[in-house]
Amino acid sequence: METVITGFLEIFNIQTVLWIALGEILGIILGALPGLTATMGIALMLPISFQLSNATGMALLLGVYCGAVSGASIPAILLGIPGNPNAIATIYDGKAMTDKGLAGQALGGAVVASFIGGITSLIILALFSPIIARFTLAFGPAEKASLALVGLTIIASVASRNLVKGILTGAIGLALSLFGTDPFSNVIRLPFSKLFAKTPLTSGINLIPALIGLFGISQALFDIERIKTGHIAPPQIKIEKIFPSFRKIASMWRLIIESSGIGTLIGAIPGTGASIAVFLSYERAKKITASPKSKLEKVGSGCLEGVFAPEVANNACTGGALIPALTLGIPGDAATAVLLGALMVKGVVPGFRLFTEDLSLVYAIFFALLLANVFMLIFQLAGVRLFPKVLNVPLAVLIPTILILSLIGSYAIQGQAIISATYDMGIALGLGILGYFLKKGDYPIAPIVLGLILGGMLEENFRRAVKLAEGNYFVFFTKPIAVVFIALAIFSVVLPLLKKKKVRE
Amino acid sequence: MHIKRVIPIVFIIIALLYIIFSFTVEERKMIGDVRGWDPGSRAMPIGIGLIILAASIYLSFKEKKAPDQDKKPHDPGIRKLTILTILLCIFFILFFRFLGFIISTHIFLFSLIFLYYKRDIRQSLIPEFSIGLLTCTGVMITFYSIGRFISRYLFLLGRKSEIPVLKSKLATAGAPLVILVILFTVFLIILKNPIKRGKYRVPFIAGFSSIGITEFLYIVFKQIFLVSLVKGLVFW
């Protein structure tokens, strides 16, 4: 009980509440701007969160996360362009409702749906994560190394249509994570090691500048192409009747429960993310409303049901994605990978240790997620007429702002050590350029991040496991849990190949 | 050649270099591993290098066979803008410590916003760009100096009068922010018509946006989070 109160107090103080509110507003703005993702928003806020306490920093990032996932529905409904992939399925009925003159109801409905999804997934997160975390007690080095392998293979196979591209970028992430100094023997592992021996690079590639570069700078460079087309201003629409009636919401109970379940479950599977969950829930809602017994309006005809289903599901992913991140150290999607990186940089180790030694932080994260969802509801409903104006921000100002925020943000992480901080800017830029070219070539970025995060865990546990097994490399096949993980890793690689073969046939 | 075909070839070269580098890493076992059971410092890098090599070779063949279905015509203007952006980022990092935060950030932002608004980059833009940049840098330094003076004055006042609020971040960061926002708004109202009229529209937008963003970043990172932003040429 004491830890619950400590966690509560860490969030419900003026400073943290204000940071969550700020994060929420920024998140909604970033989410509403087409092309800018929740992951990028979190990456840009990392330097600020780094200056705050663990709980307050995480609260700020969770505010951005929830706001960005929910804010993406604004351009999807008004313009028919999703703010980010999480709102792809909201377009169909959302835009149709706008065309019918029901933009207010669609925007309000999307907010309420996001709130319901977010809260439901939070309850599931709070109920199940301690149980899963307890399970990790049985993990030794062999199990941990296999778990890291599963995380990498799943994200590599799901993040891209091309499995090999996913594997390649995951391996690049691993290669980058190995630069620096060998954790066991202190050997410097850098090309031209004599040249770089006295530089900050000997401590490896810092995670936060890498994340900022991969998600912030690469996206900004990628968006330069959109400058020629300019920004698309929202149409002048009267926004009325925002809040959907309670009776209408209650009538959609089945759709809400199923979408919450789909969102949380899909979110909890590493590498999947909200873009898959929204389509699944939309398709499910189509089937429910198409039934002759159903009294609901048919999804696809421009109705609230078609907005509710994907919006419940995408925000349900937020809590779902945190389940494997907090308990196993394997993020559910790219955004939680960045959240996980923020925790790990501060020395917080996910898993059972987090749930025993730092339980108050776990509760603080739960309370922060609760408050972030409440703020999302309040701010989005209050600003339903205001936030669409964000779409007027010209790209010519937005892109340089993102670039400078990324560079100065990378610098600020080690802001007291000027030389190291300048190197960090270089790392962010280098990885930003790499991310840009990979995006151009249709390569996924998320596996690089996971490689960077899991590289250390994989190497340390792999070497420890082999050493403990007296040099036996087959030790991974002698431990039941490790065998399950390896089977899962093989399954995650083979399944997409089989699917592809079936499609061809 | 299309970028999709170039990337795997580049990765083959990188993978080969990485494998060579991995073999040059000093082979040392884990501290305390007397029997030598630890796979060693080279094992993982070599393994990963081989995976990158295999995947890139596979992709280089696959992308070669793939039809150019999604090949869009290259826009030379966009390519120029992208290259210039990357060059400006490199310039920013290289000269950050010499020029200092205020000047390098301002130049970076002004240049990018100016170029993005103009889109079509020509030599004839140089006079407009140079005059705009010089004028706005002057305004930027003036704004910075005013803010700096206010912060210091408040801090000294707080020390002398022993009013702790004046020494707090709220006063030293908040007061300059409020005053600068007021000054900024007044300037904007006065200059609204010249901006709209056209000829100097782009330098005005670029200048004011860059001054606003630079000041905001300075207040957030330097005055609130006490990050040691380099002073450089603006040493006061």
Side-chain angles (χ1 to χ4, degrees):
Chain A
M1 195 61 197
E2 202 178 301
T3 46
V4 179
I5 294 167
T6 313
F8 180 85
L9 292 175
E10 279 188 81
I11 297 302
F12 288 89
N13 58 69
I14 293 173
Q15 195 202 3
T16 311
V17 168
L18 283 175
W19 279 115
I20 300 181
L22 182 74
E24 194 69 51
I25 294 168
L26 277 171
I28 296 170
I29 291 171
L30 282 169
L33 290 164
L36 305 189
T37 60
T39 318
M40 181 190 170
I42 300 168
L44 289 179
M45 283 299 114
L46 280 176
I48 291 180
S49 80
F50 195 75
Q51 314 285 341
L52 305 168
S53 72
N54 285 357
T56 310
M58 273 306 281
L60 166 70
L61 299 181
L62 286 169
V64 178
Y65 186 25
C66 287
V69 171
S70 151
S73 62
I74 297 171
I77 290 166
L78 295 180
L79 302 173
I81 304 166
N84 53 54
N86 303 343
I88 289 176
T90 312
I91 293 173
Y92 307 120
D93 285 66
K95 183 72 174 72
M97 282 181 83
T98 300
D99 295 341
K100 282 182 186 174
L102 301 170
Q105 274 188 40
L107 287 169
V111 177
V112 175
S114 299
F115 177 73
I116 295 171
I119 295 295
T120 316
S121 72
L122 170 62
I123 294 167
I124 298 171
L125 168 72
L127 287 176
F128 286 95
S129 52
I131 302 167
I132 300 171
R134 190 175 289 270
F135 175 65
T136 61
L137 257 183
F139 290 7
E143 287 82 0
K144 281 182 188 166
S146 330
L147 178 66
L149 190 72
V150 179
L152 273 164
T153 50
I154 292 181
I155 208 150
S157 63
V158 182
S160 165
R161 277 173 294 173
N162 189 325
L163 174 72
V164 184
K165 283 185 177 177
I167 291 174
L168 176 64
T169 50
I172 289 166
L174 283 175
L176 290 171
S177 76
L178 297 178
F179 278 127
T181 309
D182 177 352
F184 292 117
S185 62
N186 286 339
V187 166
I188 292 177
R189 286 194 298 206
L190 277 174
F192 313 108
S193 54
K194 278 183 190 160
L195 185 71
F196 290 118
K198 284 179 185 167
T199 66
L201 286 175
T202 47
S203 53
I205 290 176
N206 284 334
L207 191 59
I208 295 184
L211 294 174
I212 292 174
L214 285 167
F215 290 111
I217 294 177
S218 72
Q219 186 65 48
L221 292 174
F222 198 74
D223 281 342
I224 292 174
E225 281 178 21
R226 286 170 46 218
I227 283 180
K228 281 247 160 162
T229 49
H231 71 282
I232 306 159
Q236 298 298 316
I237 304 162
K238 259 197 172 180
I239 296 174
E240 292 171 328
K241 270 193 184 174
I242 296 157
F243 207 83
S245 72
F246 185 73
R247 189 181 282 179
K248 178 76 181 169
I249 297 171
S251 70
M252 294 189 279
W253 64 271
R254 195 177 155 195
L255 191 144
I256 291 170
I257 292 172
E258 289 201 19
S259 299
S260 300
I262 291 170
T264 313
L265 193 71
I266 296 290
I269 300 171
T272 44
S275 46
I276 297 171
V278 291
F279 277 116
L280 285 177
S281 61
Y282 189 78
E283 284 306 314
R284 190 67 205 127
K286 249 185 183 175
K287 278 186 186 154
I288 294 171
T289 54
S291 152
K293 285 180 191 170
S294 171
K295 287 175 186 169
L296 298 170
E297 284 182 65
K298 276 189 182 170
V299 166
S301 61
C303 60
L304 199 59
E305 287 81 349
V307 173
F308 241 76
E311 285 301 314
V312 167
N314 69 20
N315 263 59
C317 280
T318 56
L322 281 172
I323 297 174
L326 293 178
T327 57
L328 305 171
I330 306 286
D333 58 8
T336 34
V338 184
L339 284 173
L340 187 66
L343 271 178
M344 287 165 76
V345 164
K346 289 204 162 194
V348 178
V349 183
F352 189 70
R353 254 177 70 190
L354 174 66
F355 281 77
T356 48
E357 290 170 18
D358 214 350
L359 192 59
S360 62
L361 178 63
V362 176
Y363 283 119
I365 290 171
F366 294 164
F367 284 123
L369 200 56
L370 173 73
L371 201 59
N373 276 294
V374 172
F375 278 163
M376 184 259 298
L377 181 76
I378 296 169
F379 291 151
Q380 280 241 72
L381 284 177
V384 83
R385 290 177 184 86
L386 195 70
F387 283 120
K389 298 206 187 302
V390 167
L391 295 165
N392 289 318
V393 176
L395 275 174
V397 177
L398 193 66
I399 294 172
T401 310
I402 292 169
L403 283 170
I404 197 69
L405 206 56
S406 302
L407 292 171
I408 293 297
S410 307
Y411 177 91
I413 300 296
Q414 300 195 65
Q416 305 307 325
I418 293 169
I419 295 175
S420 301
T422 313
Y423 267 91
D424 281 348
M425 284 203 280
I427 286 171
L429 179 63
L431 289 179
I433 295 169
L434 172 73
Y436 166 71
F437 283 113
L438 289 176
K439 270 187 187 177
K440 294 277 284 178
D442 209 13
Y443 287 75
I445 304 283
I448 300 187
V449 178
L450 223 66
L452 270 166
I453 290 175
L454 297 177
M457 176 180 166
L458 182 65
E459 190 195 18
E460 282 175 34
N461 288 295
F462 167 74
R463 287 172 66 179
R464 219 173 259 154
V466 174
K467 190 196 165 226
L468 287 173
E470 302 183 350
N472 177 14
Y473 282 84
F474 293 100
V475 61
F476 304 97
F477 299 99
T478 60
K479 313 259 177 189
I481 298 173
V483 170
V484 172
F485 284 145
I486 290 171
L488 262 173
I490 295 169
F491 183 70
S492 66
V493 173
V494 174
L495 190 70
L497 296 175
L498 290 176
K499 259 188 180 175
K500 222 177 186 181
K501 203 179 170 190
K502 207 177 172 187
V503 169
R504 256 187 237 152
E505 280 169 9
Chain B
M1 207 195 287
H2 194 264
I3 191 153
K4 282 189 179 176
R5 289 183 188 163
V6 176
I7 290 176
I9 297 167
V10 173
F11 276 129
I12 290 175
I13 298 166
I14 290 174
L16 286 171
L17 290 174
Y18 187 75
I19 292 168
I20 295 168
F21 146 71
S22 303
F23 277 105
T24 63
V25 170
E26 188 187 337
E27 176 67 340
R28 214 188 281 172
K29 301 282 176 186
M30 207 181 275
I31 295 162
D33 179 36
V34 190
R35 306 242 177 148
W37 287 325
D38 171 28
S41 332
R42 284 181 190 171
M44 280 281 283
I46 293 171
I48 289 162
L50 291 173
I51 294 172
I52 298 176
L53 184 66
S56 329
I57 291 172
Y58 171 82
L59 284 171
S60 68
F61 281 110
K62 213 186 162 205
E63 300 287 11
K64 218 178 193 179
K65 283 181 198 165
D68 273 350
Q69 50 190 5
D70 53 358
K71 190 176 173 182
K72 289 177 204 159
H74 284 296
D75 184 333
I78 291 296
R79 192 189 280 175
K80 232 188 234 179
L81 276 181
T82 311
I83 293 168
L84 268 170
T85 306
I86 293 172
L87 287 177
L88 270 166
C89 288
I90 295 169
F91 169 87
F92 176 81
I93 295 170
L94 289 178
F95 289 90
F96 183 73
R97 279 161 64 194
F98 170 68
L99 294 175
F101 168 79
I102 294 288
I103 296 200
S104 56
T105 306
H106 172 68
I107 293 175
F108 179 79
L109 285 170
F110 181 91
S111 313
L112 281 185
I113 298 170
F114 183 89
L115 294 172
Y116 289 168
Y117 265 102
K118 291 288 183 187
R119 290 174 203 172
D120 192 16
I121 303 158
R122 301 177 309 270
Q123 248 185 340
S124 57
L125 292 174
I126 292 173
E128 189 185 349
F129 173 80
S130 313
I131 294 167
L133 181 62
L134 281 173
T135 315
C136 292
T137 307
V139 178
M140 171 78 246
I141 294 171
T142 313
F143 266 90
Y144 165 77
S145 306
I146 293 169
R148 189 99 183 108
F149 173 76
I150 295 165
S151 297
R152 280 198 178 170
Y153 180 74
L154 282 175
F155 194 75
L156 287 173
L157 201 71
R159 262 182 163 179
K160 275 183 191 168
S161 62
E162 288 176 4
I163 304 168
V165 181
L166 293 177
K167 280 194 285 185
S168 71
K169 281 181 194 173
L170 187 74
T172 51
L177 187 67
V178 171
I179 292 167
L180 287 173
V181 167
I182 294 168
L183 270 175
F184 211 77
T185 319
V186 171
F187 264 90
L188 220 59
I189 292 166
I190 296 168
L191 299 169
K192 197 179 170 188
N193 283 335
I195 292 171
K196 269 191 177 172
R197 257 177 236 150
K199 203 183 172 190
Y200 298 109
R201 187 175 156 264
V202 175
F204 266 124
I205 294 173
F208 273 85
S209 306
S210 84
I211 291 168
I213 298 164
T214 309
E215 274 293 338
F216 179 75
L217 288 176
Y218 182 81
I219 288 171
V220 170
F221 285 107
K222 172 80 182 176
Q223 295 198 278
I224 297 178
F225 291 124
L226 308 175
V227 171
S228 152
L229 295 174
V230 190
K231 284 183 178 174
L233 295 180
V234 187
F235 55 85
W236 56 92

Tab-separated table of all heavy atoms in Angstrom, chain B residues 83-108:
chain	number	residue	atom	x	y	z
B	83	ILE	N	19.928	17.960	-49.816
B	83	ILE	CA	21.396	18.025	-49.662
B	83	ILE	C	21.787	19.265	-48.850
B	83	ILE	O	22.610	19.194	-47.937
B	83	ILE	CB	22.091	18.019	-51.052
B	83	ILE	CG1	21.853	16.662	-51.716
B	83	ILE	CG2	23.589	18.286	-50.931
B	83	ILE	CD1	22.228	16.603	-53.174
B	84	LEU	N	21.143	20.398	-49.176
B	84	LEU	CA	21.449	21.631	-48.445
B	84	LEU	C	21.114	21.495	-46.958
B	84	LEU	O	21.846	21.982	-46.094
B	84	LEU	CB	20.657	22.792	-49.037
B	84	LEU	CG	21.383	23.578	-50.125
B	84	LEU	CD1	20.432	24.544	-50.814
B	84	LEU	CD2	22.546	24.361	-49.524
B	85	THR	N	19.997	20.814	-46.669
B	85	THR	CA	19.588	20.623	-45.267
B	85	THR	C	20.655	19.821	-44.528
B	85	THR	O	21.062	20.187	-43.421
B	85	THR	CB	18.228	19.888	-45.197
B	85	THR	OG1	17.297	20.610	-45.996
B	85	THR	CG2	17.728	19.768	-43.782
B	86	ILE	N	21.103	18.724	-45.167
B	86	ILE	CA	22.116	17.883	-44.509
B	86	ILE	C	23.413	18.682	-44.315
B	86	ILE	O	24.025	18.645	-43.254
B	86	ILE	CB	22.362	16.590	-45.330
B	86	ILE	CG1	21.095	15.716	-45.289
B	86	ILE	CG2	23.559	15.801	-44.779
B	86	ILE	CD1	21.116	14.516	-46.202
B	87	LEU	N	23.793	19.451	-45.347
B	87	LEU	CA	25.014	20.258	-45.234
B	87	LEU	C	24.897	21.290	-44.114
B	87	LEU	O	25.835	21.514	-43.355
B	87	LEU	CB	25.315	20.962	-46.571
B	87	LEU	CG	25.827	20.058	-47.691
B	87	LEU	CD1	26.004	20.855	-48.979
B	87	LEU	CD2	27.158	19.421	-47.305
B	88	LEU	N	23.709	21.903	-44.016
B	88	LEU	CA	23.507	22.897	-42.947
B	88	LEU	C	23.570	22.243	-41.558
B	88	LEU	O	24.072	22.845	-40.609
B	88	LEU	CB	22.159	23.604	-43.124
B	88	LEU	CG	22.216	24.866	-43.990
B	88	LEU	CD1	20.832	25.305	-44.411
B	88	LEU	CD2	22.911	26.003	-43.243
B	89	CYS	N	23.056	21.013	-41.462
B	89	CYS	CA	23.134	20.282	-40.183
B	89	CYS	C	24.604	20.042	-39.818
B	89	CYS	O	25.007	20.233	-38.673
B	89	CYS	CB	22.418	18.939	-40.267
B	89	CYS	SG	20.640	19.059	-40.320
B	90	ILE	N	25.397	19.620	-40.825
B	90	ILE	CA	26.827	19.364	-40.568
B	90	ILE	C	27.524	20.669	-40.165
B	90	ILE	O	28.279	20.723	-39.192
B	90	ILE	CB	27.492	18.735	-41.825
B	90	ILE	CG1	26.871	17.355	-42.091
B	90	ILE	CG2	29.009	18.603	-41.650
B	90	ILE	CD1	27.239	16.737	-43.427
B	91	PHE	N	27.213	21.741	-40.894
B	91	PHE	CA	27.775	23.066	-40.592
B	91	PHE	C	27.419	23.456	-39.153
B	91	PHE	O	28.264	23.942	-38.392
B	91	PHE	CB	27.209	24.074	-41.602
B	91	PHE	CG	27.495	25.512	-41.269
B	91	PHE	CD1	28.679	26.109	-41.684
B	91	PHE	CD2	26.585	26.277	-40.558
B	91	PHE	CE1	28.933	27.449	-41.374
B	91	PHE	CE2	26.839	27.606	-40.239
B	91	PHE	CZ	28.026	28.188	-40.650
B	92	PHE	N	26.176	23.222	-38.790
B	92	PHE	CA	25.701	23.585	-37.435
B	92	PHE	C	26.535	22.858	-36.367
B	92	PHE	O	26.995	23.474	-35.410
B	92	PHE	CB	24.221	23.215	-37.312
B	92	PHE	CG	23.661	23.443	-35.936
B	92	PHE	CD1	23.273	24.708	-35.526
B	92	PHE	CD2	23.532	22.392	-35.039
B	92	PHE	CE1	22.776	24.923	-34.252
B	92	PHE	CE2	23.025	22.590	-33.760
B	92	PHE	CZ	22.652	23.870	-33.369
B	93	ILE	N	26.732	21.552	-36.572
B	93	ILE	CA	27.467	20.777	-35.556
B	93	ILE	C	28.932	21.206	-35.502
B	93	ILE	O	29.500	21.396	-34.429
B	93	ILE	CB	27.344	19.261	-35.840
B	93	ILE	CG1	25.881	18.821	-35.697
B	93	ILE	CG2	28.215	18.444	-34.879
B	93	ILE	CD1	25.596	17.420	-36.174
B	94	LEU	N	29.535	21.412	-36.690
B	94	LEU	CA	30.961	21.755	-36.733
B	94	LEU	C	31.254	23.126	-36.123
B	94	LEU	O	32.259	23.321	-35.461
B	94	LEU	CB	31.466	21.711	-38.181
B	94	LEU	CG	31.578	20.329	-38.822
B	94	LEU	CD1	32.052	20.447	-40.261
B	94	LEU	CD2	32.545	19.442	-38.038
B	95	PHE	N	30.344	24.079	-36.368
B	95	PHE	CA	30.624	25.454	-35.916
B	95	PHE	C	29.894	25.829	-34.629
B	95	PHE	O	29.965	26.972	-34.189
B	95	PHE	CB	30.289	26.454	-37.038
B	95	PHE	CG	31.261	26.386	-38.173
B	95	PHE	CD1	31.040	25.539	-39.243
B	95	PHE	CD2	32.426	27.142	-38.145
B	95	PHE	CE1	31.943	25.452	-40.283
B	95	PHE	CE2	33.338	27.055	-39.184
B	95	PHE	CZ	33.100	26.215	-40.252
B	96	PHE	N	29.194	24.856	-34.053
B	96	PHE	CA	28.391	25.135	-32.851
B	96	PHE	C	29.255	25.696	-31.726
B	96	PHE	O	28.902	26.674	-31.076
B	96	PHE	CB	27.685	23.846	-32.411
B	96	PHE	CG	26.771	24.017	-31.242
B	96	PHE	CD1	25.554	24.670	-31.387
B	96	PHE	CD2	27.106	23.522	-29.997
B	96	PHE	CE1	24.696	24.824	-30.311
B	96	PHE	CE2	26.248	23.662	-28.913
B	96	PHE	CZ	25.049	24.318	-29.082
B	97	ARG	N	30.400	25.065	-31.515
B	97	ARG	CA	31.237	25.485	-30.381
B	97	ARG	C	31.920	26.826	-30.655
B	97	ARG	O	32.186	27.573	-29.730
B	97	ARG	CB	32.279	24.404	-30.075
B	97	ARG	CG	31.645	23.293	-29.254
B	97	ARG	CD	32.439	22.034	-29.296
B	97	ARG	NE	33.751	22.168	-28.710
B	97	ARG	CZ	34.716	21.278	-28.882
B	97	ARG	NH1	34.504	20.214	-29.633
B	97	ARG	NH2	35.873	21.439	-28.309
B	98	PHE	N	32.189	27.127	-31.922
B	98	PHE	CA	32.850	28.389	-32.246
B	98	PHE	C	31.838	29.549	-32.259
B	98	PHE	O	32.055	30.583	-31.631
B	98	PHE	CB	33.554	28.272	-33.605
B	98	PHE	CG	34.065	29.578	-34.128
B	98	PHE	CD1	35.124	30.222	-33.494
B	98	PHE	CD2	33.481	30.191	-35.234
B	98	PHE	CE1	35.586	31.449	-33.965
B	98	PHE	CE2	33.930	31.404	-35.702
B	98	PHE	CZ	34.993	32.039	-35.064
B	99	LEU	N	30.728	29.359	-32.970
B	99	LEU	CA	29.751	30.443	-33.095
B	99	LEU	C	28.891	30.600	-31.842
B	99	LEU	O	28.406	31.679	-31.547
B	99	LEU	CB	28.834	30.190	-34.302
B	99	LEU	CG	29.480	30.234	-35.680
B	99	LEU	CD1	28.462	29.852	-36.741
B	99	LEU	CD2	30.026	31.615	-35.970
B	100	GLY	N	28.680	29.503	-31.146
B	100	GLY	CA	27.816	29.543	-29.965
B	100	GLY	C	26.382	29.194	-30.323
B	100	GLY	O	26.008	29.184	-31.502
B	101	PHE	N	25.597	28.925	-29.295
B	101	PHE	CA	24.220	28.464	-29.517
B	101	PHE	C	23.383	29.502	-30.261
B	101	PHE	O	22.732	29.186	-31.255
B	101	PHE	CB	23.571	28.129	-28.164
B	101	PHE	CG	22.093	27.920	-28.256
B	101	PHE	CD1	21.570	26.729	-28.724
B	101	PHE	CD2	21.207	28.936	-27.903
B	101	PHE	CE1	20.203	26.539	-28.830
B	101	PHE	CE2	19.835	28.752	-28.007
B	101	PHE	CZ	19.337	27.549	-28.467
B	102	ILE	N	23.408	30.746	-29.769
B	102	ILE	CA	22.501	31.769	-30.309
B	102	ILE	C	22.733	31.969	-31.806
B	102	ILE	O	21.797	31.863	-32.611
B	102	ILE	CB	22.684	33.112	-29.540
B	102	ILE	CG1	22.231	32.948	-28.076
B	102	ILE	CG2	21.943	34.264	-30.216
B	102	ILE	CD1	20.749	32.823	-27.855
B	103	ILE	N	23.969	32.230	-32.179
B	103	ILE	CA	24.227	32.558	-33.592
B	103	ILE	C	24.062	31.338	-34.496
B	103	ILE	O	23.418	31.408	-35.537
B	103	ILE	CB	25.633	33.200	-33.753
B	103	ILE	CG1	25.614	34.524	-32.999
B	103	ILE	CG2	25.999	33.379	-35.220
B	103	ILE	CD1	26.635	35.517	-33.360
B	104	SER	N	24.629	30.193	-34.091
B	104	SER	CA	24.540	29.020	-34.985
B	104	SER	C	23.088	28.557	-35.154
B	104	SER	O	22.674	28.224	-36.262
B	104	SER	CB	25.425	27.884	-34.484
B	104	SER	OG	25.084	27.547	-33.183
B	105	THR	N	22.324	28.573	-34.062
B	105	THR	CA	20.919	28.146	-34.168
B	105	THR	C	20.137	29.104	-35.061
B	105	THR	O	19.344	28.689	-35.912
B	105	THR	CB	20.265	28.087	-32.768
B	105	THR	OG1	21.070	27.262	-31.951
B	105	THR	CG2	18.866	27.526	-32.812
B	106	HIS	N	20.391	30.389	-34.853
B	106	HIS	CA	19.676	31.397	-35.644
B	106	HIS	C	20.007	31.258	-37.138
B	106	HIS	O	19.104	31.256	-37.974
B	106	HIS	CB	20.024	32.789	-35.120
B	106	HIS	CG	19.488	33.879	-35.971
B	106	HIS	ND1	18.137	34.124	-36.085
B	106	HIS	CD2	20.109	34.766	-36.796
B	106	HIS	CE1	17.950	35.128	-36.927
B	106	HIS	NE2	19.138	35.522	-37.370
B	107	ILE	N	21.296	31.127	-37.441
B	107	ILE	CA	21.693	30.999	-38.867
B	107	ILE	C	21.050	29.744	-39.475
B	107	ILE	O	20.504	29.772	-40.571
B	107	ILE	CB	23.236	30.935	-39.016
B	107	ILE	CG1	23.848	32.277	-38.622
B	107	ILE	CG2	23.645	30.555	-40.440
B	107	ILE	CD1	25.370	32.290	-38.608
B	108	PHE	N	21.117	28.653	-38.718
B	108	PHE	CA	20.564	27.375	-39.189
B	108	PHE	C	19.064	27.518	-39.504
B	108	PHE	O	18.607	27.158	-40.595
B	108	PHE	CB	20.790	26.332	-38.093
B	108	PHE	CG	20.253	24.965	-38.401
B	108	PHE	CD1	20.933	24.095	-39.222
B	108	PHE	CD2	19.046	24.534	-37.845
B	108	PHE	CE1	20.441	22.824	-39.493
B	108	PHE	CE2	18.545	23.271	-38.110
B	108	PHE	CZ	19.248	22.416	-38.940
